[in-house]
Amino acid sequence: GNSVTQMEGPVTLSEEAFLTINCTYTATGYPSLFWYVQYPGEGLQLLLKATKADDKGSNKGFEATYRKETTSFHLEKGSVQVSDSAVYFCALSARGPMNSGYSTLTFGKGTMLLVSP
Amino acid sequence: DTEVTQTPKHLVMGMTNKKSLKCEQHMGHRAMYWYKQKAKKPPELMFVYSYEKLSINESVPSRFSPECPNSSLLNLHLHALQPEDSALYLCASSQEGREQGEAFFGQGTRLTVV
């Protein structure tokens, strides 16, 4: 079955520090990969995505590259801000049966990021 | 419009009450999902509707009853819930062939069962 493993948190950083959150996956076929972010008391927001090997997703200074050879999709940001404090979920999307019209997301356990001034 | 709208945002209900959660999207997505999220955990899939038909029920207790009245609306009817059902309930939608399986999530309904 599909699975996603991401580093345990919390990750505690000072403002302007470099961020890496590791994510590796196991999947059959060729899944799409996502990073979602959840701010306190809110739903999930898509942060970035990559749909095939070597694709780089980027948004708001965050980046992640789909590495098929290492089955990884690590999240990075060069300089974090206090406002980046949130829980980050790595996820993969697998299509349902042919013509089913849906796909299913498999999430990692989430990594809480705490950024202090 | 890339929004998934959920109502209400907060709900407190007794164990004998009947209530409903509502979800709406106008992106033309034909797949809609209900997830349950407990504190400090990832979302857990409950139900999937595709083309207004129930495609997946992840062995959810019958006190949760989903309904998809049309392609834009998804409801979750709640009856005789237990305190352990207190959680954040998230609705999502997606469209195969576009956005490569990307799911758009609503802000959730925070449910407390007393």
Side-chain angles (χ1 to χ4, degrees):
Chain A
N2 297 335
S3 67
V4 174
T5 302
Q6 61 182 107
M7 58 192 293
E8 298 281 335
V11 173
T12 304
L13 295 173
S14 298
E15 205 164 26
E16 299 183 3
F18 185 85
L19 169 71
T20 300
I21 300 178
N22 290 337
C23 171
T24 57
Y25 68 90
T26 302
T28 54
Y30 303 96
S32 296
L33 300 175
F34 305 91
W35 278 100
Y36 283 89
V37 59
Q38 187 172 34
Y39 298 100
E42 298 189 8
L44 272 70
Q45 299 176 27
L46 180 69
L47 182 60
L48 53 84
K49 64 182 179 184
T51 58
K52 61 183 186 296
D54 301 325
D55 268 2
K56 177 187 280 189
S58 61
N59 185 28
K60 299 181 182 178
F62 291 89
E63 293 183 340
T65 300
Y66 191 144
R67 301 282 187 202
K68 191 167 183 291
E69 64 277 12
T70 55
T71 61
S72 65
F73 192 54
H74 305 320
L75 181 69
E76 296 183 337
K77 187 176 186 182
S79 176
V80 294
Q81 305 300 311
V82 172
S83 57
D84 293 326
S85 297
V87 179
Y88 293 80
F89 291 98
C90 184
L92 67 83
S93 175
R95 293 183 190 271
M98 189 175 290
N99 298 321
S100 66
Y102 67 85
S103 56
T104 55
L105 281 171
T106 300
F107 288 94
K109 291 186 175 181
T111 302
M112 178 177 287
L113 171 64
L114 300 170
V115 181
S116 56
Chain B
D1 181 4
T2 57
E3 277 196 356
V4 176
T5 303
Q6 290 188 243
T7 55
K9 287 190 172 18
H10 300 275
L11 178 62
V12 179
M13 61 184 291
M15 290 188 282
T16 58
N17 290 161
K18 287 184 181 180
K19 297 287 185 183
S20 296
L21 310 185
K22 297 186 184 300
C23 174
E24 189 169 7
Q25 57 89 14
H26 295 289
M27 294 177 279
H29 291 173
R30 302 310 300 268
M32 296 186 76
Y33 311 78
W34 280 116
Y35 287 85
K36 173 182 178 180
Q37 186 180 25
K38 300 285 273 185
K40 301 187 189 299
K41 299 287 187 183
E44 297 176 2
L45 184 64
M46 299 174 72
F47 302 104
V48 178
Y49 271 83
S50 182
Y51 297 97
E52 300 159 51
K53 289 187 171 21
L54 183 64
S55 297
I56 294 181
N57 175 344
E58 292 285 13
S59 303
V60 179
S62 59
R63 58 185 184 269
F64 295 90
S65 176
E67 178 196 20
C68 189
N70 61 54
S71 60
S72 299
L73 293 174
L74 186 66
N75 298 322
L76 186 63
H77 302 299
L78 313 173
H79 173 55
L81 295 192
Q82 303 297 309
E84 59 264 29
D85 296 321
S86 298
L88 181 68
Y89 288 84
L90 294 164
C91 175
S93 69
S94 72
Q95 178 69 20
E96 289 309 297
R98 281 192 278 158
E99 296 117 12
Q100 299 292 325
E102 173 185 340
F104 292 78
F105 284 83
Q107 290 296 297
T109 294
R110 177 121 359 238
L111 174 68
T112 303
V113 181
V114 297

